[in-house]
Amino acid sequence: MNFSVFSSPNPILFGTGTSKLTGEKLRALGCAKILLVYDAGIKAAGLVDRIDRIITEAGVETVHYSGVLADPPDWSVEEAAALGKSAGVDGIVGLGGGSALDTAKGAGLLQANPPPISQYFGREGVVTRPSVPIVVIPTTAGTGSEATVASVVVDSATHEKYALMDPALIPREAVLDPLLTTGLPPFITATTGMDALTHAVEAYIGRSNTRETRGMARKTVALVFENLYVAYQDGANVGARANMQRAAYYGGIAFTRAYVGNVHAIAHTLGGMYSVPHGLANAVILPHVLDDYGESVYGSLAELADVVHLPGNTAERKAKAFIRAIRDLNGSMGIPTTIDGILEEDIPLMTDRAFHEANPTYPVPRIFSREDFSGVFHRLMGKSGLHGYAGKMARVDLSTGDVEHFMPQKDDLLKYLGGKGLAAKILFDEFDEKVDALSDENLIVITTSPLNASGTPSSSRFNISTISPLTGLLVSANCGGDFGLHLKRAGYDALVIRGQSPDSVFIHVGEEGIELRGASGFWGKDTSETQEAMGNGGKLAIGVAGENLVRYACVVSAERVVGRGGVGAVFGYKRLKGIVAEGRMRITVPDQDKFKGFNRKWIAKLQKHALTGEQLPKLGTAALVRKMQDRDLLATRNYSSGRFDGFENISGETLREKHLVKNKGCPTCPIRCGRIVKIEGREVKGPELETLGLLGSNLMNDDLPLIIRLNRLCDELGMDTMSFGGSVGFAMELCEKGFWENGLRFGDCGSLEALARQVAHREGIGDVIAEGARRMSEMYGGGEFAIHAKGLELAAYEPRAAQGMGLGYATANRGGCHLGGGYLVVLEGLGFHVDGRQTRGKAAFAVFFQDLMEAASAGGSCLFTTYAVLPSFLVRNPRNPFVRMIHAVFPSFGGLVALLHSHPGALSVNAPGVIPHPYAYKLVTGSKMDIGRFVRSGERIYNLERLIDLRQGLAADMLPGRLTDELQREDDAQSRVLLAPMLKKYYRIRGWDEHGAPTGKRLKKLGL
Ligand code: SF4
Ligand SMILES: [Fe+2]
């Protein structure tokens, strides 16, 4: 089928009141008796009587056909034609929207040519005799039918839409009187106007346009963006109405010559199948299809973006801004992002129809495959077309209370997996330039992943990404517990939250939708009280630290924490006290039996492994305190040493012996690394290694009960224990060295609980410590011993005894993070025993582990599952001579790892017994995935995060002077982080320039 047409524009009568000339025009055309074609709505609006009077007063007789239907079926056109014939009319007047005009045109054709109308479907040039004159009087502004020789008619047997096309169908006159459109309801105004925009855009991006059609399309786009919303809001605005009529007419001329495209192919199919109004269908489909065209339309859409003055420094950015502007225009007029009622079982047939309509006739910028069409239909249903995703995402504007649903393209889901990857993609696309963390524009992007709620082991974690108030860069923070599961079961893969609420609120997410609820009753409350007050489900809450914009405020979920980078302060700025999600939707996988068998094996592997089956279940992360002490890795006295005399008192063994009640794990996790401990008669959450280090050894504090209490207090106040400990350690050293007299001393920790409250409430010195170590150093000096990277305080591993860890801290995109850094310390003494003071091979391993962990996290796995990638026997017996030999030669494999990094195709295999994560993703989503693709996805995400950081003004990958210049051990020149030479190699392997920016070549390779 082909909806394109060839004609010259016909004469038009344009302007306010011109409909009064209709009778004269008909007489001039030689008409004595005409058939007036319209529907019941136009009659009810009084327009029929008005036009009838004008015509009859000019001495022309009228016969009425009032049976026009939306998406006119063949029999209705034939009925109108028969009426006209029996009455002996010599002219036809179509009055109304697109359907009335199409019926009139079809009936005109049958005045001179035999029925049935179906014999002319899609067959150009078979009409043998000229039609009687057809005059059209549109009462909507959009179809452009007044300018075309096409008439769209539905085959009532098959529900397919067909086009009649013939020069005989061209209206002899078009009467464009804006006064006839002022009574059009707002929603019809909106959708018909978007039809005009769709004509212009499809014509413009197609491969068959001319200078003239491009000019017409540009005029249409400008007129629609300037006038449609005005006409929608103020229907009586004759100026805007007149301009929209012009827009529709120009759009009609543009697509008459330059054709429409895939948007129309899909809209016609939906119209035929479910009677979705044409304009509405186009409006909803247009942005989805433009997304899918990808780079093939960047150039042309950038030109249209210029027409409506949208910003952007590249064609891609402008094109995306244009697509966003279409979405915004739709949203502002209440046009949804999905279409209700589409049935999964109809998609193959609709795909086929759309495919055949578009191919090969429409000159589209990129030919869609059946898969492409099917993907669009799925997204119109609000689904991704992939298993493993709940099916929809929501944008929530706290300023207005608006909620809008969306779904990224399938291709992006596959490229960025989910979790932090998908969040980075959303944040990257949303902005053109730097965004302030504490601003209405900043987004909180909460994402789940395909593995969440699928049943794979240790896969309940979810992600929150935003611009960090602590670093000013991208932060992605990951959390266990059950919130992610509930969010997905409520049917949502992601929430994107913007704006600032006028009053404190929390968001309720359920299967029935999303609503904002008042939170003023628990503003100022602790996180546990807040969670209780919000009702049932998975929950997120901030405490007073978030409300008071402490730069490292966290978000708490049950007793787990979205800890790093100050996500809680962004919630606080937005007056968002928390989120509750509840639902019972189930995530399906393509082959349940195969999947279950695979999960059983993976669980068994985790349970047998030395780290995930023994160390973590037995002692939790606290097991590492002793190991770190042994290897000079335990951050002590603000990282001036890696050993702490009082370590025994804060070790995992002591915690187990004196306080442990039971282990606690996230849902679906066989590792169960969490601890419930007893203190002063109460059962509370036990501290993790990082808390033991940063509130313990780092402050010269060996009072374990105090650390347990502080841990709980920080959770209640909603404050990251790591950055709090790091900032206090720095404040203590500032005081001891005389930079800032604040009364804090290492080892003198009795007032730490009071200090935590002061920080959370921003009182006294707490107001300063709430700013974090970097800002404190800007106020008081001591930058060389302010222990942070990119503004984020480091984890509890002293890196001067673990070069790879030092490199990881320096390069991690979110700042001084052990996990984002690739966690090489697991090779350097906490699993393997590769020499931590040597740099050989570290750059390559850092890159590989960063990418692997990035992908594992984005896919939805807890990072502890990546420990089990290391062969267990190499971890269990470090003193065995054979194992020692392997550890000694291990760095030599760095070259091979670097080589594989640049040729991931060599890893196009799955080895679920070694690296189960890509195989799990494959089984859950039903898409292609192997180790090479998986690690490449991780690399892509890592690079995208780096691009966001650079846009936010990232200057350099650095560590404080204490770590790079001061020796940890006087007698060992290697006992400092030898950052510069490692960084050089690291950048080379990553394909980045000497400033740490990805090169264009690398980005192209990664499809960025
Ligand atoms: S290992 Fe720990 S953090 Fe990871 S999923 Fe299991 S219980 Fe949760
Ligand atoms: Fe259209």
Side-chain angles (χ1 to χ4, degrees):
M1 223 173 350
N2 178 346
F3 281 73
S4 60
V5 283
F6 301 90
S7 83
S8 296
N10 47 339
I12 55 167
L13 267 178
F14 179 78
T16 311
T18 45
S19 56
K20 288 187 191 136
L21 304 175
T22 311
E24 283 171 34
K25 279 286 160 191
L26 286 167
R27 278 181 59 98
L29 289 170
C31 299
K33 188 181 197 181
I34 58 98
L35 180 70
L36 187 56
V37 178
Y38 54 88
D39 65 23
I42 295 293
K43 170 85 178 160
L47 293 179
V48 172
D49 293 346
R50 203 197 306 175
I51 297 296
D52 183 79
R53 205 175 316 119
I54 291 167
I55 295 173
T56 49
E57 276 172 7
V60 179
E61 220 181 305
T62 58
V63 178
H64 288 220
Y65 179 71
S66 60
V68 169
L69 297 171
D71 295 317
D74 42 14
W75 58 263
S76 169
V77 175
E78 286 163 6
E79 195 176 70
L83 177 65
K85 251 184 143 173
S86 65
V89 299
D90 53 10
I92 309 250
V93 175
L95 172 65
S99 299
L101 271 46
D102 283 346
T103 305
K105 286 159 89 173
L109 185 144
L110 291 185
Q111 295 307 294
N113 298 278
I117 193 89
S118 57
Q119 67 181 300
Y120 309 106
F121 285 166
R123 296 174 62 199
E124 234 168 275
V126 293
V127 174
T128 51
R129 292 174 53 204
S131 166
V132 297
I134 299 166
V135 172
V136 290
I137 312 175
T139 58
T140 63
T143 67
S145 189
E146 62 277 9
T148 76
V149 297
S151 163
V152 180
V153 177
V154 173
D155 182 332
S156 52
T158 64
H159 298 286
E160 271 192 90
K161 276 192 172 184
Y162 285 96
L164 298 167
M165 289 159 303
D166 199 280
L169 287 177
I170 190 167
R172 289 284 291 278
E173 290 280 352
V175 181
L176 303 184
D177 184 345
L179 289 178
L180 299 184
T181 67
T182 52
L184 205 60
F187 194 69
I188 310 280
T189 303
T191 52
T192 47
M194 291 307 285
D195 187 23
L197 182 70
T198 307
H199 296 151
V201 173
E202 291 216 284
Y204 197 81
I205 61 177
R207 302 253 182 262
S208 186
N209 47 41
T210 63
R211 219 172 64 186
E212 189 203 353
T213 60
R214 275 199 296 270
M216 287 291 174
R218 274 200 295 267
K219 276 191 199 172
T220 308
V221 168
L223 285 167
V224 170
F225 273 93
E226 274 166 28
N227 295 284
L228 180 54
Y229 184 70
V230 180
Y232 165 81
Q233 276 230 309
D234 175 12
N237 186 321
V238 177
R241 292 290 191 185
N243 282 334
M244 280 310 299
Q245 281 189 317
R246 259 186 236 276
Y249 185 70
Y250 295 150
I253 295 173
F255 90 81
T256 283
R257 294 277 172 78
Y259 295 73
V260 283
N262 290 329
V263 179
H264 270 77
I266 296 168
H268 292 144
T269 306
L270 283 172
M273 217 56 195
Y274 305 116
S275 303
V276 181
H278 179 69
L280 172 65
N282 275 337
V284 181
I285 298 163
L286 180 61
H288 289 292
V289 169
L290 294 180
D291 277 342
D292 282 4
Y293 279 140
E295 58 188 36
S296 65
V297 291
Y298 288 165
S300 48
L301 291 189
E303 289 166 15
L304 294 182
D306 285 340
V307 169
V308 288
H309 313 296
L310 295 172
N313 45 15
T314 63
E316 180 179 351
R317 291 198 165 281
K318 284 185 182 181
K320 287 183 173 168
F322 186 71
I323 300 172
R324 210 157 46 233
I326 294 173
R327 287 201 159 95
D328 290 347
L329 183 58
N330 273 342
S332 68
M333 301 185 296
I335 294 175
T337 52
T338 54
I339 290 176
D340 287 342
I342 300 177
L343 301 176
E344 181 75 44
E345 61 260 34
D346 290 338
I347 289 184
L349 175 65
M350 291 198 292
T351 294
D352 221 49
R353 285 183 178 174
F355 180 83
H356 279 117
E357 178 178 329
N359 295 313
T361 29
Y362 289 170
V364 290
R366 180 171 80 73
I367 292 175
F368 271 20
S369 63
R370 283 189 165 78
E371 232 192 355
D372 290 323
F373 281 112
S374 167
V376 175
F377 282 119
H378 276 106
R379 290 212 307 289
L380 292 172
M381 290 170 80
K383 293 194 168 185
S384 65
L386 279 172
H387 289 273
Y389 296 87
K392 60 177 183 280
M393 305 189 183
R395 289 193 173 89
V396 181
D397 190 329
L398 294 174
S399 301
T400 61
D402 289 345
V403 176
E404 178 199 294
H405 292 125
F406 72 105
M407 198 68 203
Q409 299 167 72
K410 185 174 165 185
D411 198 38
D412 280 344
L413 294 177
L414 291 172
K415 274 167 83 176
Y416 301 97
L417 308 178
K420 66 184 322 211
L422 189 58
K425 175 70 178 153
I426 292 169
L427 277 158
F428 182 78
D429 285 348
E430 202 73 24
F431 304 118
D432 280 329
E433 46 196 43
K434 185 176 174 190
V435 174
D436 282 344
L438 301 178
S439 70
D440 293 11
E441 291 74 40
N442 192 10
L443 301 178
I444 298 169
V445 183
I446 304 177
T447 40
T448 61
S449 305
L451 265 51
N452 299 149
S454 70
T456 41
S458 317
S459 61
S460 74
R461 300 186 70 93
F462 65 97
N463 176 84
I464 306 185
S465 293
T466 186
I467 300 301
S468 160
L470 192 58
T471 66
L473 307 175
L474 171 70
V475 60
S476 58
N478 194 275
C479 180
D482 63 0
F483 176 80
L485 299 185
H486 280 283
L487 182 62
K488 218 162 158 181
R489 287 187 187 137
Y492 289 88
D493 294 297
L495 301 177
V496 179
I497 302 162
R498 67 162 77 238
Q500 185 189 46
S501 172
D503 304 305
S504 57
V505 289
F506 72 98
I507 298 175
H508 184 275
V509 185
E511 284 175 78
E512 64 293 340
I514 292 179
E515 60 179 77
L516 303 185
R517 297 181 180 174
S520 55
F522 36 96
W523 194 256
K525 302 282 188 216
D526 288 346
T527 56
S528 60
E529 214 177 322
T530 302
Q531 292 190 71
E532 217 171 299
M534 289 193 299
N536 295 326
K539 295 166 210 167
L540 301 180
I542 60 164
V544 289
E547 294 170 15
N548 292 320
L549 311 184
V550 172
R551 289 192 186 270
Y552 41 83
C554 65
V555 173
V556 176
S557 180
E559 78 289 339
R560 292 201 166 256
V561 173
V562 187
R564 308 236 61 199
V567 178
V570 183
F571 272 58
Y573 172 85
K574 294 184 180 299
R575 298 199 188 94
L576 178 60
K577 184 67 174 166
I579 304 179
V580 185
E582 53 178 336
R584 280 175 301 183
M585 210 182 100
R586 288 183 65 81
I587 299 299
T588 57
V589 299
D591 185 340
Q592 192 65 35
D593 291 341
K594 193 170 177 186
F595 182 60
K596 275 189 180 157
F598 160 78
N599 281 340
R600 271 197 296 275
K601 284 191 197 151
W602 193 359
I603 291 169
K605 180 182 160 75
L606 290 169
Q607 283 173 332
K608 270 192 263 163
H609 195 274
L611 296 176
T612 55
E614 293 168 21
Q615 181 181 298
L616 280 167
K618 193 170 162 209
L619 298 173
T621 52
L624 297 178
V625 170
R626 178 176 300 279
K627 293 188 175 207
M628 287 159 71
Q629 172 78 4
D630 287 351
R631 316 283 300 186
D632 294 347
L633 286 167
L634 186 60
T636 300
R637 206 183 175 97
N638 196 32
Y639 296 76
S640 56
S641 162
R643 298 178 71 82
F644 176 48
D645 290 345
F647 85 95
E648 202 69 77
N649 293 341
I650 61 167
S651 67
E653 291 80 357
T654 305
L655 186 69
R656 181 183 170 90
E657 190 190 313
K658 296 203 170 155
H659 300 280
L660 184 68
V661 177
K662 60 181 178 193
N663 288 9
K664 187 160 186 202
C666 303
T668 78
C669 181
I671 304 171
R672 298 173 67 77
C673 73
R675 321 271 92 184
I676 299 294
V677 298
K678 196 165 200 170
I679 184 161
E680 292 149 11
R682 293 177 69 189
E683 289 188 10
V684 298
K685 181 179 96 173
E688 303 273 342
L689 171 269
E690 309 299 343
T691 306
L692 290 163
L694 284 152
L695 295 177
S697 53
N698 194 47
L699 308 183
M700 305 299 284
N701 171 26
D702 67 353
D703 183 345
L704 185 55
L706 172 61
I707 297 173
I708 295 172
R709 287 200 307 275
L710 273 172
N711 187 45
R712 182 180 160 72
L713 179 60
C714 284
D715 281 2
E716 287 293 5
L717 296 168
M719 198 158 76
D720 175 23
T721 53
M722 295 167 71
S723 281
F724 173 59
S727 302
V728 172
F730 179 53
M732 285 177 168
E733 189 161 349
L734 282 176
C735 185
E736 289 200 348
K737 290 197 163 144
F739 286 83
W740 177 33
E741 190 43 63
N742 54 38
L744 299 171
R745 293 279 185 279
F746 286 111
D748 180 8
C749 296
S751 60
L752 279 183
E753 285 166 281
L755 182 62
R757 288 196 184 87
Q758 275 185 296
V759 171
H761 289 274
R762 281 188 170 271
E763 290 165 1
I765 60 168
D767 193 26
V768 176
I769 296 172
E771 292 291 289
R774 182 174 68 185
R775 284 181 175 79
M776 285 159 65
S777 74
E778 285 160 10
M779 289 182 238
Y780 296 104
E784 63 287 358
F785 57 89
I787 308 300
H788 68 87
K790 303 186 178 82
L792 185 71
E793 290 73 18
L794 265 49
Y797 311 88
E798 214 282 46
R800 288 178 295 180
Q803 299 285 351
M805 194 67 188
L807 176 64
Y809 278 143
T811 53
N813 284 320
R814 76 171 180 180
C817 171
H818 50 310
L819 300 170
Y823 203 61
L824 280 210
V825 74
V826 79
L827 299 180
E828 298 176 305
L830 303 185
F832 280 21
H833 285 237
V834 171
D835 187 349
R837 307 233 186 241
Q838 297 299 326
T839 58
R840 196 157 61 97
K842 300 289 172 68
F845 283 112
V847 170
F848 177 77
F849 278 97
Q850 283 174 343
D851 292 350
L852 175 65
M853 289 167 77
E854 199 83 344
S857 174
S861 296
C862 174
L863 288 179
F864 284 139
T865 61
T866 60
Y867 280 10
V869 167
L870 302 174
S872 198
F873 78 97
L874 290 178
V875 174
R876 190 171 277 121
N877 306 307
R879 291 205 174 77
N880 174 299
F882 174 68
V883 171
R884 284 170 70 158
M885 188 194 78
I886 302 265
H887 290 167
V889 300
F890 200 76
S892 322
F893 293 111
L896 179 65
V897 169
L899 193 69
L900 287 173
H901 180 259
S902 45
H903 299 92
L907 291 171
S908 317
V909 286
N910 265 306
V914 185
I915 305 183
H917 308 83
Y919 193 66
Y921 183 89
K922 178 183 157 111
L923 289 183
V924 169
T925 60
S927 64
K928 279 189 197 157
M929 188 52 79
D930 53 44
I931 297 172
R933 277 174 208 261
F934 196 65
V935 177
R936 186 46 55 110
S937 292
E939 186 191 357
R940 184 178 299 117
I941 299 166
Y942 211 83
N943 277 264
L944 186 66
E945 290 178 338
R946 174 63 52 142
L947 293 181
I948 297 173
D949 277 358
L950 290 167
R951 189 167 73 195
Q952 287 296 120
L954 169 66
D957 292 315
M958 281 175 68
L959 290 175
R962 163 154 299 161
L963 304 178
T964 52
D965 303 337
E966 283 177 31
L967 295 179
Q968 191 195 51
R969 288 198 324 222
E970 292 288 315
D971 58 343
D972 183 355
Q974 294 279 106
S975 69
R976 62 189 180 92
V977 182
L978 301 163
L979 185 59
M982 285 193 292
L983 212 46
K984 209 167 160 189
K985 279 193 195 141
Y986 175 92
Y987 288 159
R988 206 183 55 228
I989 296 167
R990 278 233 173 267
W992 292 359
D993 69 16
E994 70 274 24
H995 305 295
T999 58
K1001 199 169 145 199
R1002 197 63 178 193
L1003 293 178
K1004 202 163 173 207
K1005 217 169 176 177
L1006 293 169
L1008 281 169

